[in-house]
Amino acid sequence: MSVNLRACLKRFHLQDEKKVQNRAEEFLGKFHPLGNVIFDKGGPNCKVVIAIQLACESLQITDWDMKVAAAVAGCPLSTYESVLSTVRKALDIQPSVSFKTLAVALGSTGLVPLAQELWTDFVPRYLDVYTGARRQAAEKEVKSPCWKGAVMFSCAKAFGERLKKDDLRQLCGCTAMELNLAIKSVDSFCVQKLTEFKKRPNALKRAAPQDKNEEKTEEEKIVKKMVIAPVSGISSMIDHRDYKATKRYKDYMAWHTSMVQQLKEQKTK
């Protein structure tokens, strides 16, 4: 393992992750045919950091911070994302993305069927603009995760929800420019469908899982079974007894009553 790779892994607190190390070295080997021209656009550690990121993705390690990655790579975030995008395309490496995985990650599961509906409307309209070789290129283009991210964003926006573009970019493995261009295309080709969505304000609620209340009710039943009557004092931590029933508390109360009585007697004298 190179000194540079070891140092970068340490920056990400991954120096003890042997699988990440081995996978990163594999990716560095795959980078050789690409030459250094691609990576020269980034910082001095750009090649190594991208190898580590792709290694983490392949091992389903999801808590990756792009801003930290760019800082370790030694270049601006936009530059790092651009180089990463170029490498992905050159090696045909894209994150595995579906509307369901995006929705779960973004906390908007109700959007799944609506995003699928918008996708079904968008793809034919977009492809029909092109013919021949350009159409084949467009068919390959829309398979990029970026387009699903764009559809999710436009769909959510139509229903008054704002998804974070930074989160979408990271989930879809694309640059800000790529995502913004894709969103503009979706908005442009699907004006009618998006307008229709805006006239269906309750569609998002209906699309949400219907068994949510039932699950909650069942959870509440379980919680009620687990609830123990509130008790206090150190003894309650041991066996859930009410501290007022303990001998120590009764002795204390007897002493307290006795002291109060003595004080009263002293005042009357």
Side-chain angles (χ1 to χ4, degrees):
M1 181 171 59
S2 69
V3 175
N4 199 16
L5 176 57
R6 186 182 295 109
C8 288
L9 284 167
K10 190 173 183 180
R11 294 281 297 276
F12 292 113
H13 305 290
L14 294 170
Q15 65 271 19
D16 297 325
E17 298 293 335
K18 298 299 181 184
K19 289 184 178 180
V20 176
Q21 292 177 17
N22 294 336
R23 193 64 59 85
E25 288 178 330
E26 289 178 17
F27 277 109
L28 285 171
K30 293 179 180 179
F31 292 169
H32 285 311
L34 303 180
N36 292 322
V37 177
I38 293 175
F39 300 100
D40 286 344
K41 297 177 182 178
N45 298 324
C46 194
K47 180 190 288 188
V48 173
V49 173
I50 288 176
I52 295 172
Q53 178 172 344
L54 294 177
C56 288
E57 286 182 6
S58 67
L59 294 169
Q60 305 299 312
I61 299 173
T62 57
D63 56 342
W64 184 263
D65 192 317
M66 293 289 282
K67 292 181 180 179
V68 173
V72 176
C75 58
L77 177 59
S78 58
T79 303
Y80 178 79
E81 288 181 334
S82 177
V83 176
L84 175 61
S85 178
T86 302
V87 172
R88 287 187 189 280
K89 290 174 182 176
L91 298 179
D92 195 21
I93 299 173
Q94 297 293 343
S96 179
V97 168
S98 68
F99 289 123
K100 186 174 182 179
T101 56
L102 286 176
V104 170
L106 297 168
S108 301
T109 52
L111 285 172
V112 175
L114 298 166
Q116 187 62 57
E117 184 179 341
L118 183 59
W119 178 259
T120 303
D121 182 74
F122 166 70
V123 174
R125 291 178 184 275
Y126 182 71
L127 295 180
D128 284 347
V129 175
Y130 306 104
T131 57
R134 184 63 187 90
R135 182 184 174 91
Q136 291 179 350
E139 288 174 349
K140 184 178 180 180
E141 183 183 8
V142 294
K143 291 179 181 178
S144 168
C146 181
W147 290 93
K148 281 190 169 66
V151 166
M152 281 290 289
F153 184 88
S154 296
C155 183
K157 185 179 177 182
F159 289 101
E161 286 196 14
R162 281 283 183 177
L163 301 181
K164 292 182 179 179
K165 288 185 179 180
D166 286 347
D167 292 342
L168 276 172
R169 279 163 42 209
Q170 186 157 340
L171 289 166
C172 298
C174 59
T175 65
M177 182 180 293
E178 289 170 338
L179 180 61
N180 287 330
L181 287 174
I183 290 171
K184 286 182 180 179
S185 293
V186 173
D187 290 346
S188 175
F189 281 93
C190 300
V191 174
Q192 186 175 347
K193 176 60 70 173
L194 291 170
T195 302
E196 180 190 329
F197 277 176
K198 292 175 182 178
K199 295 177 181 178
R200 293 158 54 185
N202 296 322
L204 188 57
K205 293 180 181 179
R206 289 198 298 270
Q210 297 298 314
D211 57 345
K212 188 175 181 181
N213 291 333
E214 294 177 7
E215 291 177 359
K216 188 176 180 181
T217 302
E218 187 62 29
E219 287 176 1
E220 288 175 350
K221 290 178 181 177
I222 295 171
V223 170
K224 286 179 180 178
K225 290 178 182 178
M226 295 174 64
V227 168
I228 300 172
V231 291
S232 304
I234 295 175
S235 62
S236 67
M237 299 177 188
I238 302 171
D239 58 2
H240 303 294
R241 285 184 297 161
D242 188 334
Y243 73 98
K244 292 182 180 180
T246 63
K247 182 178 182 299
R248 178 168 294 185
Y249 178 78
K250 290 178 180 179
D251 290 343
Y252 163 76
M253 288 304 297
W255 171 83
H256 181 269
T257 303
S258 174
M259 291 298 295
V260 171
Q261 185 62 34
Q262 289 180 27
L263 289 171
K264 286 181 179 179
E265 290 176 355
Q266 288 178 2
K267 286 182 179 180
T268 56
K269 289 180 179 179

